Amino acid sequence: MSPAPAAEPHQGLRAGPAADAVRLTRHAVADLHAELVRNGLVAWTSGNVSARVPGTDLIVIKPSGVAYDDLTAEAMVVCDLTGARVGGQLSPSSDTASHAYIYRHMPHVGGVVHTHSRYATAWAARGEPIPCVLTAMADEFGGEIPIGPFAPIGGEEIGQAVVATLSGHRSPAVLLRNHGVFTVGATARDAVKAAVMCEDAACTVHLARLGGQLTPLPPDQIDALYRRYQDEYGQR
Ligand SMILES: [Zn+2]
C-alpha cells in the first residue's frame, strides 16, 4: 500500500511573498512573547500573542501550553481566520477561536494579546472598569479601561465579548470579568504595548485608591490628551 499523499499546503505557506510574510510574522510573534515575560505580565504558560499575517487571511499564534523559553518562531502555529491550523506542528492556543473572531470582526486589528496580568486581573475579578484618572490612561486608552462580560474558554465567546465591549470605546484594552485582559492593536507590538500600559495603569490606580479617593480627569482634558498622544507624540 502506498502512503496517503501529503495534504496540499495552504497557499500562504508555499514559496512566495505570502510565505515570506508568514516567516517574518512567526519571528515577530515569538519575540513579542518574550516581552510578556520581560514585563511581568504572565505566569507559567498563561497569556498569548497573535498577529495577522499582512496581505493574507492567516494569523500566527502561540502554541497551547508550551513554556515561554521554548517559544521559537518554528513553534508558532499558523491558522486561518476560522481558527483552524494550517501550519506548524503544535496545537494552537486554547484562545485561538476567540482571536480569530476578533480578526474577522475588527478588520483594522493586526495584533491581539491576552494576559492574566496581576493588577488588571484583580480589577476583572471585582468586575470593575479602571477609571481614567491619569494622563497616561487618557493617552493610551482615551478613557476608562472597560469591563466586559464573563465568557467561557475554548470557543469564540471570549472574542464576541471583546468585540462587543470595545465597539464604541477608544480603549484598545478590555478586562473580561473573572478572567483577565485582552488588548488589540494595529500591530501585535501595539497590542503588547497596550497590555503593558494596562497593567501599569491598573497597578497605579489600585495603589492610589488605597490612599483615598480618585480624582477623575475631565472629559475635555481626556479628549485633548488622547488627540495629542495619538497624533503628535513621539518621532514622526
Ligand atoms: Zn485566559
Side-chain angles (χ1 to χ4, degrees):
M1 242 178 83
S2 57
E8 186 74 0
H10 187 280
Q11 60 182 14
L13 302 175
R14 296 177 205 147
D20 290 343
V22 167
R23 187 173 48 76
L24 290 171
T25 306
R26 279 174 176 272
H27 279 275
V29 173
D31 290 348
L32 285 168
H33 279 97
E35 291 291 341
L36 300 187
V37 177
R38 204 180 345 263
N39 286 281
L41 301 186
V42 290
W44 203 239
T45 63
S46 73
N48 44 64
V49 179
S50 70
R52 197 191 292 272
V53 181
T56 74
D57 57 356
L58 300 173
I59 62 173
V60 170
I61 192 165
K62 175 176 171 280
S64 181
V66 175
Y68 276 89
D69 283 349
D70 298 329
L71 291 181
T72 59
E74 295 68 37
M76 296 298 127
V77 186
V78 186
C79 293
D80 65 20
L81 290 184
T82 70
R85 184 180 66 180
V86 299
Q89 304 298 317
L90 301 169
S91 300
S93 161
S94 55
D95 295 315
T96 299
S98 283
H99 284 245
Y101 182 94
I102 295 168
Y103 289 110
R104 288 204 307 280
H105 290 84
M106 301 181 95
H108 60 288
V109 165
V112 177
V113 170
H114 171 50
T115 78
H116 303 157
S117 68
R118 194 165 291 137
Y119 283 91
T121 301
W123 288 85
R126 290 194 302 266
E128 226 185 318
I130 307 175
C132 187
V133 292
L134 300 167
T135 58
M137 288 189 70
D139 288 349
E140 177 73 22
F141 303 101
E144 69 172 19
I145 300 176
I147 181 91
F150 175 80
I153 295 172
E156 60 182 34
E157 290 90 344
I158 287 174
Q160 293 169 359
V162 169
V163 171
T165 308
L166 290 185
S167 301
H169 264 275
R170 292 190 289 211
S171 172
V174 53
L175 309 176
L176 288 187
R177 207 172 274 266
N178 299 105
H179 186 166
V181 181
F182 267 79
T183 61
V184 299
T187 65
R189 185 171 185 79
D190 290 339
V192 170
K193 179 194 172 201
V196 172
M197 302 307 269
C198 175
E199 179 62 7
D200 189 49
C203 178
T204 306
V205 178
H206 170 77
L207 293 174
R209 203 167 63 175
L210 291 180
Q213 285 223 321
L214 300 173
T215 313
L217 273 170
D220 60 327
Q221 288 296 336
I222 293 175
D223 288 347
L225 286 159
Y226 182 75
R227 263 199 311 274
R228 181 200 67 90
Y229 187 76
Q230 301 295 326
D231 299 341
E232 296 167 25
Y233 177 82
Q235 306 299 319
R236 299 279 149 188

